[in-house]
Amino acid sequence: MKTYAYAAEFEPGDRRGVIVVSFPDVPEAITQGDDMADARAQAEEALGLALLSYPQRGLPLPKAKAKAKRLITIAVAPEVAAKLAVLEAFALAGISKSELARRMEKDEKEVRRILDPRHATKLPAMVDALRALGKRLVIGVEEAA
């Protein structure tokens, strides 16, 4: 099962109380928060935005390799994970947008929106796209940090 979670480094910032967050495997994702809870929320958003930029630039998503005791794993928001899953599955399928539209029984304009990393797509449409690409979305629950 594929997840969209990456190790993050939390360090004190220049100002008192500020926490700077960076991702060794996703150098574009860097942010800060006013406390640990804010830093985690900002990290999730920064990671999602950075990862969504990869398909726009024609790049594969980076592999999550970093591991160290001082690193904390951050997962992207569920809607971002679903969008990334659709984009990756579509790229791997090697089919055209027209073919995906045919498989989904949708208009090609709708498929273009589903495949646009900047477009907010509803979860049922992404589930349908994944199904048409031979994948299925699995949702899990874990304890909040």
Side-chain angles (χ1 to χ4, degrees):
M1 180 170 67
K2 171 88 181 201
T3 62
Y4 299 93
Y6 291 80
E9 186 169 5
F10 289 71
E11 302 174 293
D14 292 340
R15 291 189 347 254
R16 183 181 169 104
V18 170
I19 300 171
V20 176
V21 185
S22 60
F23 293 84
D25 297 324
V26 188
E28 301 88 348
I30 187 164
T31 190
Q32 66 182 31
D34 295 329
D35 56 32
M36 192 58 157
D38 186 41
R40 282 178 178 270
Q42 297 299 326
E44 179 184 300
E45 182 179 2
L47 178 61
L49 290 170
L51 292 176
L52 285 170
S53 78
Y54 278 74
Q56 288 177 301
R57 296 181 287 153
L59 299 172
L61 293 178
K63 301 272 187 249
K65 298 179 287 195
K67 288 183 173 73
K69 287 185 179 181
R70 70 187 192 321
L71 300 177
I72 298 170
T73 301
I74 300 293
V76 298
E79 62 275 7
V80 174
K83 180 68 93 162
L84 290 168
V86 168
L87 295 171
E88 277 196 313
F90 178 72
L92 288 173
I95 62 172
S96 68
K97 292 174 186 173
S98 298
E99 174 58 18
L100 180 56
R102 186 192 65 73
R103 290 182 186 184
M104 293 178 67
E105 298 179 353
K106 302 276 185 194
D107 186 80
E108 189 177 344
K109 286 183 279 193
E110 187 173 348
V111 168
R112 281 197 305 265
R113 286 191 296 273
I114 291 169
L115 296 174
D116 182 349
R118 296 165 304 202
H119 186 269
T121 305
K122 294 186 189 243
L123 189 58
M126 290 188 283
V127 168
D128 289 346
L130 285 167
R131 190 174 296 120
L133 293 164
K135 306 284 183 187
R136 96 186 154 98
L137 183 65
V138 178
I139 297 176
V141 177
E142 63 184 18
E143 293 296 322

